[in-house]
Amino acid sequence: MKPEDTAVVVVEPTPVVRQHNAITQARYDYTACQLDIFFYLLSRLRRDDTPDQEYTIYVKDVEALTGRQWNYQQLREATADMGSRMFEVENERTYQQLWMFQRVEYIKGKGCLQIQLAAPIRPYLFNLKENFTSYQLHSALKLSSKYAKRIYQLVSQWKDKTSTRTYPLDEFKQMLHLKDPKGKEPELFQNISQLKARVLDIAVRQVSEHTDLKIDYELVKKGRAYDAVRFTIARQHPQQLPIPFEQPAEDARAFAARQHLDALGITQPQLVASILGDAKHLDQLFKFTYQLKTDKVKATKNPGGLFLKICGLR
């Protein structure tokens, strides 16, 4: 099967916008946890993969990459729901219903799951991956809002331009699953101020703070009412190194741990080696970083010192 909407290779020096990827344009509703699994799978795709390729995801690896804690049960529920939901892909000639997984297997006692993708959806996922570098996939995993993740997907297609196309609000809301095209479900954030506060403003802030793109949005009026939205885009230098997706899970976890230690100001080689060499300390590091980001731990003056005290290293 050959998708109608494929990514266009950008030939320098003339910037060419990538065509709309069918999966990005498709209507689907994933939670933040499900989108983390989705982006992680994208990072593992290779063009030489076999049709029945299996992808292994370790729970601790996802935690290391995202800075969030998704426990085994949450991932299990997330994949179960993902498997039951369909992607609606439509063009001028056809309408398709696609599902993500052929099979998901959880390995008991290993903290990992193995995923086999459904064959019909694989070409669309490969095309979608071509919109992202390794850094950009890492950035997508760092976004906590599911709407920020979806909007980052959207604007990444237009990163060779200064703005996206203008999206009618009805179409935009359907893509983010805020509005049912058949009208069977209640529309979310009907008031424009709610849409700005709950979706657009949060997405702009998170994407601009955590990714290679600085974005903003413009609401377009038709008469007296807002009718459409357009995003402006500017490139910016990454503020952190990309996670090496190609490395084994253990190496990626250590890489992420070093980034967390640097952010906490813990750079003394002996302390770093002690923490990286102790599985209990590593677990405490990822837990502490997550709690710090979510304001469950208050340590504005010296968070690194507090972490070392928790570990018994100070």
Side-chain angles (χ1 to χ4, degrees):
M1 181 181 64
K2 184 176 181 181
E4 296 297 322
D5 297 320
T6 58
V8 173
V9 177
V10 178
V11 181
E12 299 296 347
T14 305
V16 180
V17 69
R18 292 163 175 78
Q19 292 179 7
H20 302 158
N21 178 274
I23 293 299
T24 304
Q25 303 297 111
R27 297 184 290 268
Y28 65 94
D29 181 27
Y30 276 177
T31 66
C33 180
Q34 290 168 336
L35 284 168
D36 279 350
I37 295 171
F38 182 65
F39 280 114
Y40 187 87
L41 280 171
L42 283 183
S43 75
R44 293 296 181 185
L45 292 179
R46 302 290 180 270
R47 279 292 179 185
D48 58 354
D49 289 346
T50 60
D52 58 350
Q53 182 77 38
E54 292 183 345
Y55 302 93
T56 301
I57 297 180
Y58 289 88
V59 177
K60 287 187 176 181
D61 194 16
V62 176
E63 290 177 355
L65 295 172
T66 63
R68 290 183 295 281
Q69 292 179 310
W70 301 125
N71 62 43
Y72 198 68
Q73 184 61 31
Q74 285 175 308
L75 292 173
R76 185 172 176 174
E77 292 173 357
T79 55
D81 189 53
M82 290 171 75
S84 66
R85 296 192 184 201
M86 71 178 179
F87 286 82
E88 297 176 288
V89 178
E90 188 172 1
N91 58 42
E92 292 180 356
R93 295 191 299 106
T94 64
Y95 164 78
Q96 294 186 73
Q97 297 177 340
L98 303 174
W99 284 264
M100 179 71 70
F101 304 136
Q102 176 69 27
R103 182 179 62 86
V104 179
E105 182 176 351
Y106 283 80
I107 313 301
K108 295 181 179 179
K110 298 292 185 181
C112 70
L113 57 149
Q114 293 180 335
I115 292 176
Q116 186 177 352
L117 295 168
I121 206 169
R122 288 172 62 85
Y124 293 99
L125 297 181
F126 279 113
N127 288 337
L128 176 57
K129 184 179 179 178
E130 291 177 6
N131 284 327
F132 297 97
T133 65
S134 179
Y135 173 79
Q136 292 161 340
L137 284 169
H138 173 226
S139 299
L141 286 164
K142 287 294 182 182
L143 302 173
S144 60
S145 163
K146 70 175 185 178
Y147 300 124
K149 290 176 185 287
R150 287 288 279 127
I151 288 172
Y152 183 58
Q153 270 185 293
L154 190 67
V155 299
S156 288
Q157 297 177 98
W158 301 87
K159 57 179 174 281
D160 300 308
K161 297 290 187 180
T162 57
S163 68
T164 67
R165 72 176 177 88
T166 300
Y167 294 92
L169 281 181
D170 277 352
E171 178 186 348
F172 177 71
K173 287 184 174 182
Q174 288 173 23
M175 287 167 56
L176 269 64
H177 216 272
L178 300 174
K179 183 175 183 178
D180 181 358
K182 297 180 180 179
K184 294 181 179 179
E185 299 177 7
E187 180 179 343
L188 299 178
F189 314 133
Q190 294 186 48
N191 188 294
I192 199 66
S193 61
Q194 291 180 325
L195 182 67
K196 290 171 64 176
R198 301 288 294 277
V199 178
L200 295 170
D201 291 343
I202 292 174
V204 164
R205 183 176 69 252
Q206 289 194 7
V207 170
S208 297
E209 286 181 358
H210 299 295
T211 80
D212 59 318
L213 302 179
K214 184 176 180 62
I215 68 169
D216 205 344
Y217 66 89
E218 301 172 359
L219 288 167
V220 181
K221 278 188 173 181
K222 184 177 182 180
R224 299 179 62 182
Y226 288 107
D227 180 67
V229 63
R230 175 174 57 247
F231 294 91
T232 58
I233 307 166
R235 298 286 190 104
Q236 60 182 356
H237 293 295
Q239 299 300 309
Q240 54 188 318
L241 294 173
I243 288 290
F245 283 118
E246 290 74 19
Q247 295 184 11
E250 294 79 4
D251 292 343
R253 180 172 165 81
F255 187 94
R258 287 183 183 275
Q259 286 190 313
H260 292 326
L261 291 173
D262 284 343
L264 292 171
I266 301 173
T267 57
Q268 185 178 341
Q270 187 176 353
L271 278 175
V272 171
S274 177
I275 294 168
L276 294 180
D278 188 308
K280 183 178 179 181
H281 288 339
L282 276 177
D283 288 342
Q284 289 174 320
L285 173 62
F286 288 112
K287 180 179 180 180
F288 180 81
T289 302
Y290 172 76
Q291 291 177 333
L292 196 64
K293 289 181 178 179
T294 55
D295 292 325
K296 293 180 180 178
V297 167
K298 305 290 184 181
T300 55
K301 291 184 178 180
N302 185 14
L306 176 58
F307 171 70
L308 292 175
K309 186 175 180 181
I310 291 172
C311 290
L313 298 173
R314 172 177 289 184

